[in-house]
Amino acid sequence: MSDHESTYVPKTGIEKWLDTRLPIVRFGADYMSLPTPRNLNYWYTFGGILMLCLVIQIVTGIVLAMHYVPNTEMAFASVERIMRDVNGGWLIRYVHANGASMFFIAVYLHMLRGLYYGSYKAPREIIWILGCIIFFLMIATAFLGYVLPWGQMSFWGAEVITNLIGAVPVVGEPLLIWLRGGPAIDNATLNRFFSLHYLLPFVIFGVVVLHLWALHTAGQNNPTGILIPKERTAKDTLPFHPYFTVKDGFAIILFLILFALFVFYMPNALGHADNSIPANPLVTPAHIVPEWYMLPFYAILRAIPDKFGGVLAMFGAIGVLFVIPWLDTSRVRSMRYRPTMKVFFLIFLVVCFGLGWCGAQLPDAQVVPGMPSFMLLDGQLNSYLWLTRLLTAYYFAFFLIIMPWVGLKETPLPVPHSISEPVLDGGIPEQKA
Amino acid sequence: MARSGSIGAHERCDVTESVELNHDGQGAGETATRRDFIHVAAGAAAVGAGVMMAWPLVNQMNPAADTLALSTIEFDLTKVAEGMQVVIKWQGKPVFVRYRTPAEIQEATSTPLSALKDPQPDAERIKAGHEQYLVVIGSCTHLGCVPTFNAGDYGGWFCPCHGSHYDTSGRIRKGPAPTNLVVPAYEYISDTRVRIG
């Protein structure tokens, strides 16, 4: 909160000396005493969890870079050496590899929470846009990192994804050669991907700082979605510490249990067996699939019969997130008070899972095995191709049609005047009347 | 200059200063001053220098001299048996050299151009007098996977990634790929030897 006044009083001599030169202790103390909406639920703990994920990825990544060799001749072997010979290397690599998945689980829940409680709406548009930038950088970083072990999936994933850029009219081909550093994916590509994979997490860190700066300027949203009235600040908020440090801490422990479950009991559950085969530029694996967190976007790519159209739709699926603050026409932020929108949101959730499921299937495979169907344009109706198209249509319709339309048409439920009012003042005035 | 009244004096004072700073005799009221010129010139020089510095940083990502040097290879066609293909690596990419059977050639030449998504007669995709040998880059024009030999609905290749079907001339017939398999630049240096690149 921007109007939060500093209550920090330096006590020791060193603190006083430091406070007039670099008030870093004051900064930390002010952060801890920040007035925070008292009704934050556990969906609001993912910000802290994501910060932890970023730190884990950076720390384990720096350590892995001490042993990894970004060269096509040695990359695969150096990863195997990390797994077999480097002291504790297996643990560090499994934490880093599964950490990427954990990072995406957390970021998707964080984004869905923002979507449900209207955290993107004024005055928080910049927070949301910065978050979208972070999400895009995360996807780029994860893709670059997945190429580094130089297995079959690494190589062919890089081949397919870089080819997306080649679909751009006119400049696509020179751009592709420029990006790869040669006519095909080769040593030059691997080397630069390693360099960029090391760089991007620090860029993400920088954007996270801006994300938090914007958050503490506009103020945190809360499950009611209302802006806390100035005169109710004392009743509606609690200091960040100890109330929310403890809440975040508890959520982090639960999250780390899930994390450990993957690292220690099923470290390869989210990976692909094909990536244990060294990269071979002459043989494509029979079934290429990206990592689970990219599957919905991969499904959208395949849904469009035109190459460049598919690429536009895939990037559009991320691009549309940036303009949500202006697509939502509702005056109420939280879907807690938007019964109609809530239904569309639940369908959206199912659609996202459905797209993820379709992304992992062969496009020509039948959705209902054995059910007879007919050709519709370029594919059988009973195929993942057409299911994916249906789901893709809803994905875009949710943002571009439903969001502006429902916002204008629906009658929201009465919204409380403050967070504490329904509890301390005996209910919402509109309901009493 | 009369200095009566504090605010008025200040305003007039500022004007006087800016006139003095012009040094070009044009005086106040003219919009472009020598100082503006210096600002624009310095800014333009800085931008120019920045672009000149940025270009090597961008251009270093283009193929290096040693990468470009690997641009031609020779191949002995007697290594391919009739009805089979050999995959060779050229510029990091697979190249299919296919020895087509008479039936496959017949199929390729008899297909009407109207049935093709990227119309091109078979004759343009081979060298005259060497109809049996088809040389194409083995990289699907959709997203670059390596198509499977002798598979798909048209007897040519089938791409396992997103389901593109190619015929015995390497032309796209069905699926998401936009164009035919690319025929690289190559020439016959003898009856049984080709140089690709």
Side-chain angles (χ1 to χ4, degrees):
Chain A
M1 315 263 157
S2 50
D3 51 353
H4 171 48
E5 276 182 29
S6 185
T7 52
Y8 167 72
V9 181
K11 291 183 193 77
T12 62
I14 292 173
E15 279 182 74
K16 283 174 191 157
W17 183 85
L18 196 61
D19 200 49
T20 52
R21 287 162 178 83
L22 177 73
I24 193 165
V25 183
R26 177 180 297 277
F27 179 80
D30 290 350
Y31 203 103
M32 285 298 135
S33 62
L34 210 63
T36 309
R38 65 191 303 152
N39 59 337
L40 296 188
N41 56 32
Y42 277 104
W43 297 110
Y44 282 79
T45 59
F46 287 99
I49 287 170
L50 284 162
M51 196 65 214
L52 178 75
C53 284
L54 182 59
V55 170
I56 289 174
Q57 290 307 92
I58 288 178
V59 170
T60 54
I62 288 171
V63 174
L64 288 170
M66 294 179 186
H67 303 280
Y68 172 76
V69 186
N71 179 290
T72 51
E73 299 288 317
M74 295 158 83
F76 190 87
S78 75
V79 172
E80 287 305 306
R81 187 179 156 268
I82 289 169
M83 295 303 291
R84 293 152 198 252
D85 297 341
V86 174
N87 300 326
W90 63 273
L91 176 65
I92 294 158
R93 178 163 177 262
Y94 276 155
V95 168
H96 194 74
N98 286 286
S101 285
M102 295 299 126
F103 209 152
F104 275 97
I105 290 176
V107 86
Y108 281 133
L109 291 171
H110 190 64
M111 290 163 78
L112 286 169
R113 188 271 293 154
L115 208 53
Y116 185 83
Y117 293 119
S119 304
Y120 49 84
K121 289 176 78 71
R124 301 189 180 87
E125 302 95 321
I126 299 281
I127 308 173
W128 176 262
I129 290 170
L130 288 168
C132 292
I133 293 171
I134 294 169
F135 175 60
F136 188 71
L137 288 173
M138 277 176 66
I139 290 180
T141 310
F143 160 68
L144 294 170
Y146 193 61
V147 176
L148 303 185
W150 210 240
Q152 273 290 68
M153 278 294 177
S154 300
F155 183 90
W156 291 100
E159 176 79 31
V160 168
I161 300 299
T162 52
N163 258 311
L164 297 181
I165 290 134
V168 178
V170 191
V171 293
E173 201 58 38
L175 201 62
L176 185 60
I177 291 173
W178 174 78
L179 187 75
R180 289 173 172 174
I185 301 268
D186 215 327
N187 198 49
T189 324
L190 177 61
N191 225 318
R192 65 189 56 185
F193 277 19
F194 176 64
S195 170
L196 294 172
H197 182 68
Y198 205 123
L199 165 74
L200 285 188
F202 297 97
V203 178
I204 291 177
F205 197 92
V207 185
V208 167
V209 170
L210 298 180
H211 190 62
L212 288 175
W213 185 5
L215 175 71
H216 293 144
T217 304
Q220 198 155 17
N221 190 24
N222 68 82
T224 65
I226 59 158
L227 295 176
I228 296 168
K230 256 207 165 63
E231 72 280 5
R232 303 286 302 203
T233 306
K235 281 178 176 172
D236 279 5
T237 65
L238 291 168
F240 185 68
H241 178 74
Y243 295 95
F244 294 97
T245 45
V246 168
K247 191 160 187 152
D248 277 358
F250 181 65
I252 282 172
I253 289 168
L254 291 182
F255 185 77
L256 287 179
I257 290 172
L258 178 73
F259 201 140
L261 205 66
F262 274 100
V263 169
F264 293 106
Y265 291 94
M266 38 185 183
N268 293 309
L270 300 169
H272 299 288
D274 275 306
N275 223 25
S276 303
I277 305 167
N280 181 354
L282 300 184
V283 179
T284 306
H287 188 191
I288 292 190
V289 271
E291 292 287 84
W292 69 266
Y293 40 82
M294 315 239 191
L295 285 173
F297 301 107
Y298 189 61
I300 291 172
L301 167 78
R302 292 196 307 188
I304 314 294
D306 178 67
K307 184 172 164 181
F308 186 52
V311 175
L312 283 182
M314 188 179 77
F315 283 105
I318 298 169
V320 72
L321 301 176
F322 284 79
V323 289
I324 287 177
W326 294 277
L327 290 172
D328 185 354
T329 55
S330 175
R331 280 192 290 176
V332 175
R333 285 190 192 82
S334 174
M335 283 191 209
R336 184 180 273 187
Y337 308 106
R338 302 183 60 191
T340 317
M341 196 59 190
K342 200 187 271 184
V343 175
F344 286 111
F345 177 80
L346 288 174
I347 299 171
F348 176 74
L349 207 58
V350 174
V351 164
C352 288
F353 277 107
L355 279 171
W357 178 257
C358 289
Q361 308 301 319
L362 290 168
D364 292 341
Q366 288 188 316
V367 180
V368 186
M371 192 179 86
S373 76
F374 56 90
M375 282 297 280
L376 184 62
L377 301 177
D378 57 344
Q380 287 284 327
L381 187 62
N382 179 21
S383 71
Y384 280 100
L385 182 69
W386 276 106
L387 179 62
T388 309
R389 283 176 182 171
L390 183 73
L391 299 178
T392 302
Y394 185 86
Y395 181 94
F396 284 105
F398 178 74
F399 295 117
L400 299 175
I401 299 167
I402 295 170
M403 223 174 218
W405 184 71
V406 172
L408 294 174
K409 290 286 169 189
E410 88 179 327
T411 312
L413 299 176
V415 175
H417 176 247
S418 93
I419 293 168
S420 54
E421 185 190 65
V423 183
L424 300 179
D425 301 3
I428 302 167
E430 288 93 325
Q431 283 179 336
K432 282 191 291 185
Chain B
M1 215 142 255
R3 298 191 176 209
S4 61
S6 58
I7 297 166
H10 256 103
E11 281 171 351
R12 241 171 271 133
C13 200
D14 286 347
V15 172
T16 318
E17 271 170 19
S18 75
V19 171
E20 277 166 8
L21 284 168
N22 278 338
H23 298 300
D24 54 6
Q26 292 196 342
E30 295 293 323
T31 45
T33 63
R34 241 163 88 164
R35 173 155 296 190
D36 289 337
F37 174 76
I38 291 166
H39 281 161
V40 171
V47 168
V51 170
M52 280 162 71
M53 274 306 294
W55 174 244
L57 295 175
V58 171
N59 191 35
Q60 54 81 25
M61 283 178 69
N62 274 318
D66 62 333
T67 309
L68 292 171
L70 301 168
S71 53
T72 65
I73 53 161
E74 289 180 14
F75 179 69
D76 179 7
L77 291 168
T78 56
K79 288 179 185 164
V80 200
E82 182 168 357
M84 303 298 284
Q85 79 168 11
V86 165
V87 182
I88 51 179
K89 199 172 156 188
W90 173 64
Q91 290 195 339
K93 284 181 280 194
V95 170
F96 296 156
V97 181
R98 182 171 182 151
Y99 189 161
R100 300 188 294 179
T101 61
E104 286 170 348
I105 298 169
Q106 168 64 24
E107 211 180 305
T109 50
S110 64
T111 307
L113 288 185
S114 57
L116 299 172
K117 188 173 172 184
D118 179 13
Q120 194 181 20
D122 186 57
E124 280 181 19
R125 300 178 55 77
I126 43 98
K127 303 286 179 197
H130 301 279
E131 281 80 9
Q132 69 274 39
Y133 292 113
L134 179 71
V135 181
V136 287
I137 293 176
S139 179
C140 180
T141 56
H142 182 225
L143 294 173
C145 295
V146 179
T148 313
F149 173 67
N150 224 354
D153 297 351
Y154 300 89
W157 289 271
F158 172 71
C159 181
C161 292
H162 308 98
S164 291
H165 299 253
Y166 296 93
D167 67 11
T168 55
S169 187
R171 295 174 296 198
I172 180 66
R173 300 300 290 273
K174 191 177 147 190
T179 57
N180 303 331
L181 291 180
V182 175
V183 178
Y186 72 98
E187 57 182 355
Y188 282 85
I189 49 178
S190 76
D191 258 3
T192 58
R193 228 175 148 73
V194 285
R195 185 196 288 132
I196 300 169

